[in-house]
Amino acid sequence: MDFNCGQPFERQGMEFVVLRVKGQSFMLHQIRKMVGLVMVVAQGHANEDIIHRAWGGDKVDVPKAPALGLLLDRPFFDAYNKKFGTDGSHDCVDVSAFEDDVEKFKQKIYDTIIETEVKENSMMHWLGTLVQHDFVGNRTDVSVANRQETLRDVEATGDSNVEEQLDCKQSVVNPVFTQDTDACTASAGDEKLSTFPSRQ
């Protein structure tokens, strides 16, 4: 498995970054939760030790980052080709001849992801929900009570846009455009591209 972060770039007035995760296979929501956990630590809602606790046997409340931007980048067939491609009955799977067309198509997907994030602010809205988590088990009544108290404080200012004010009270990171890698089957390693905008 490999996880790396690209250089930030700006599109339509928002900053994005590409995260790439490469692996043989992933569990349901694994990438979204991995990105969510990193964002929780970066935002200061939990200490770095939550990452070690998440690998342990105890239940940890890990919020899922928005799905916008998560996509399969490319499949890898190294394991398949090694096992079956040389047996005389099967051909090796090679998609390199389509690389240019794939890259052009992916650019259209990236553009759509960025336009949607600029329009909908899904990452910013998600960041505003982090105060609802206790990062131990499930969301708790205490977390909800803290959010309600924060909302009351914001309402006391007389501003009609309470949710926007609440979001502004959070420490927020710029949009994150995440690419990740995945495997469709156990026999073929895949690269999954995920784009997670997170907005400031």
Side-chain angles (χ1 to χ4, degrees):
M1 182 161 195
D2 186 34
F3 197 143
N4 62 63
C5 179
Q7 291 295 315
F9 62 94
E10 187 174 322
R11 295 272 177 86
Q12 298 187 31
M14 296 177 82
E15 187 177 27
F16 293 83
V17 65
V18 176
L19 303 176
R20 287 189 185 272
V21 182
K22 182 178 180 179
Q24 183 62 30
S25 61
F26 296 105
M27 295 182 294
L28 180 66
H29 303 308
Q30 180 180 347
I31 302 305
R32 292 174 62 191
K33 286 191 172 236
M34 288 169 68
V35 171
L37 196 59
V38 169
M39 294 295 289
V40 162
V41 172
Q43 294 291 306
H45 294 286
N47 295 326
E48 288 183 28
D49 70 331
I50 191 173
I51 296 171
H52 300 291
R53 286 192 293 119
W55 285 102
D58 296 335
K59 187 170 185 176
V60 178
D61 176 25
V62 180
K64 289 183 300 206
L68 179 65
L70 176 63
L71 59 112
L72 177 67
D73 184 45
R74 71 178 56 214
F76 291 98
F77 297 101
D78 298 340
Y80 175 88
N81 288 341
K82 184 177 181 181
K83 185 173 183 178
F84 299 108
T86 59
D87 67 1
S89 298
H90 301 86
D91 292 331
C92 287
V93 178
D94 182 9
V95 295
S96 59
F98 307 102
E99 198 69 34
D100 290 341
D101 292 333
V102 169
E103 289 303 315
K104 289 176 187 174
F105 182 73
K106 284 194 296 190
Q107 191 56 53
K108 292 178 184 178
I109 295 172
Y110 300 154
D111 292 344
T112 300
I113 290 168
I114 291 169
E115 288 172 17
T116 304
E117 176 58 26
V118 168
K119 181 180 176 184
E120 296 178 1
N121 283 329
S122 64
M123 184 59 80
M124 180 60 105
H125 293 298
W126 175 77
L127 288 170
T129 68
L130 294 181
V131 295
Q132 298 175 11
H133 296 268
D134 65 3
F135 309 109
V136 177
N138 289 323
R139 295 179 186 193
T140 64
D141 293 335
V142 175
S143 297
V144 173
N146 288 343
R147 181 169 172 79
Q148 289 171 343
E149 181 180 340
T150 304
L151 284 169
R152 282 194 297 276
D153 291 346
V154 173
E155 286 173 337
T157 65
D159 194 323
S160 61
N161 196 342
V162 176
E163 287 296 326
E164 184 175 321
Q165 285 291 328
L166 181 62
D167 286 343
C168 290
K169 289 179 76 173
Q170 313 297 318
S171 171
V172 178
V173 177
N174 282 344
V176 177
F177 183 89
T178 314
Q179 291 185 327
D180 85 328
T181 351
D182 186 14
C184 291
T185 69
S187 62
D190 300 339
E191 184 168 315
K192 190 173 183 180
L193 185 89
S194 72
T195 42
F196 291 104
S198 92
R199 179 155 176 194
Q200 186 170 17

